[in-house]
Amino acid sequence: MTLRCWGHFRSPQIKTWLPTRWHNLQFSNPLGTAGGLDKNGTLVRGAWAIGAGFVEIGTVTPEPQAANPGKKFDREASTLSVWNRLGFPNDGADLVFDRLAKLPRPCPTPIFLNIGKNRWTDLLHAHEDYVRLARKFRDQADALVINVSSPNTAGLRELLGPNRLRDFLQPILENSNKTPMLLKLSPDLSNDDLIQVLDTSSEIGISGWVLTNTTLARPGNLSARYPVDGGLSGRPLAARSLEMLKITTEHLKTRGEKAGDKLIISVGGAMTVDDVFLRLRLGAQLVQIYSALVFNGPGFFHEVARYAQKTEMVTGRRRDHSP
Ligand SMILES: Cc1cc2nc3c(=O)[nH]c(=O)nc-3n(C[C@H](O)[C@H](O)[C@H](O)COP(=O)(O)O)c2cc1C
């Protein structure tokens, strides 16, 4: 059964475990769907039906656009890896806006919206696409995720570069109207660049980070089946995603940031129940999954919930990340 069917036939089944509050957002549980799973806002009810604690829609661009040409998706069960070169195919901001407007309010979970530029918008004008999307969606979504980390839109990740980031981000954040704005980071940043991105984005008022998008690296003993371009996710991404989570939490501590002020979402290679809890222990307030659903199926959310509810450590303990 597809996620869309789940949404048609089942009401929301969102289990409460490790209920989490961050500023004024309430999560019955801290495990959500990652960007790209519901590019058009058509699967939100499906995500609720399988138990997601929050849902991310997108990447949405201002105008509708098709996928990149050629092969776009592959996976390998023996390495629990997924490869894609989709390049933000989506219905465009207007249609997605209408779908969001039709969701029942209040929604049973927070809704995040991931925004990106159209592939024909050049980097000099990229911020204009994001500003347009921020203005359109800031009152519809509980948080916006600024995606400049996909390897599948030519040049996009240059916007994370130290010379560009401040000028790119500032006008977008100025248009947030207090809706939290998160920055989704690439696992292919060097550690030094990661620190610089954290510092620069913090200084100009980012609300948090999503760590991480897919990688151009081909770690581990992957077969040669994947082309050199395109983004890799799943188990081979786990080590780098975890490393970036640790660097980020450590760095925020050394900067003296108030605990819980910034939202940290860990994504990338969380394939098992243990993987999810490891990330929560390492300081992520929230965790997202995509590849785990490809290999484990839609029952994964409830599998994690069952484990959590059995573990005395987490049942009934409310996490409050408000500073
Ligand atoms: C087929 C596919 C499409 C994706 N599309 C997007 C996207 O549109 N926007 C985005 O921010 N991330 C996208 N991602 C990246 C995921 O959100 C996530 O960061 C990545 O897959 C790592 O998580 P995982 O190992 O749990 O899959 C996509 C991933 C896959 C596998």
Side-chain angles (χ1 to χ4, degrees), residues 82-126:
V82 175
W83 170 92
N84 92 90
R85 189 171 45 198
L86 286 162
F88 305 164
N90 75 102
D91 293 342
D94 288 344
L95 264 180
V96 175
F97 183 89
D98 291 345
R99 288 185 192 124
L100 266 173
K102 286 185 189 132
L103 290 176
R105 303 281 173 165
C107 286
T109 69
I111 302 284
F112 290 16
L113 187 90
N114 181 312
I115 56 175
K117 75 173 191 71
N118 279 116
R119 71 168 62 84
W120 52 82
T121 305
D122 63 47
L123 293 188
L124 262 185
H125 297 97

Side-chain angles (χ1 to χ4, degrees), residues 137-213:
F137 285 103
R138 62 192 178 193
D139 299 327
Q140 283 276 3
D142 294 300
L144 296 176
V145 179
I146 300 167
N147 184 359
V148 280
S149 47
S150 167
N152 296 321
T153 296
L156 184 73
R157 303 193 306 175
E158 287 172 36
L159 294 168
L160 278 173
N163 302 330
R164 287 196 192 253
L165 188 65
R166 183 180 294 270
D167 289 346
F168 165 73
L169 267 187
Q170 200 128 34
I172 307 169
L173 298 186
E174 278 165 9
N175 280 282
S176 71
N177 202 20
K178 302 218 172 103
T179 299
M181 295 278 200
L182 310 170
L183 186 63
K184 187 161 180 178
L185 301 185
S186 163
D188 301 332
L189 284 171
S190 69
N191 291 347
D192 286 348
D193 284 351
L194 168 61
I195 300 288
Q196 200 156 5
V197 168
L198 294 172
D199 286 346
T200 305
S201 53
S202 244
E203 275 162 33
I204 56 176
I206 202 79
S207 311
W209 301 275
V210 182
L211 311 156
T212 69
N213 213 316

Side-chain angles (χ1 to χ4, degrees), residues 195-255:
I195 300 288
Q196 200 156 5
V197 168
L198 294 172
D199 286 346
T200 305
S201 53
S202 244
E203 275 162 33
I204 56 176
I206 202 79
S207 311
W209 301 275
V210 182
L211 311 156
T212 69
N213 213 316
T214 57
T215 179
L216 281 173
R218 299 289 182 258
N221 57 343
L222 285 176
S223 74
R225 71 187 288 155
Y226 298 134
V228 290
D229 61 349
L232 186 77
S233 34
R235 163 108 355 120
L237 178 58
R240 180 60 183 154
S241 174
L242 280 168
E243 185 180 35
M244 284 184 57
L245 173 61
K246 286 182 202 158
I247 292 172
T248 301
T249 52
E250 279 305 308
H251 185 63
L252 293 185
K253 262 187 226 152
T254 57
R255 272 177 58 111

Side-chain angles (χ1 to χ4, degrees), residues 14-22 25-31 53 280 285-286 308-309 313-321:
I14 301 149
K15 303 278 187 288
T16 299
W17 57 272
L18 220 55
T20 296
R21 186 161 82 92
W22 180 76
L25 298 184
Q26 302 281 352
F27 303 80
S28 299
N29 71 68
L31 185 60
L280 295 170
Q285 287 107 317
L286 303 172
Q309 288 172 336
M313 224 175 68
V314 295
T315 33
R317 185 194 284 180
R318 185 168 292 276
R319 294 156 87 225
D320 190 340
H321 290 287

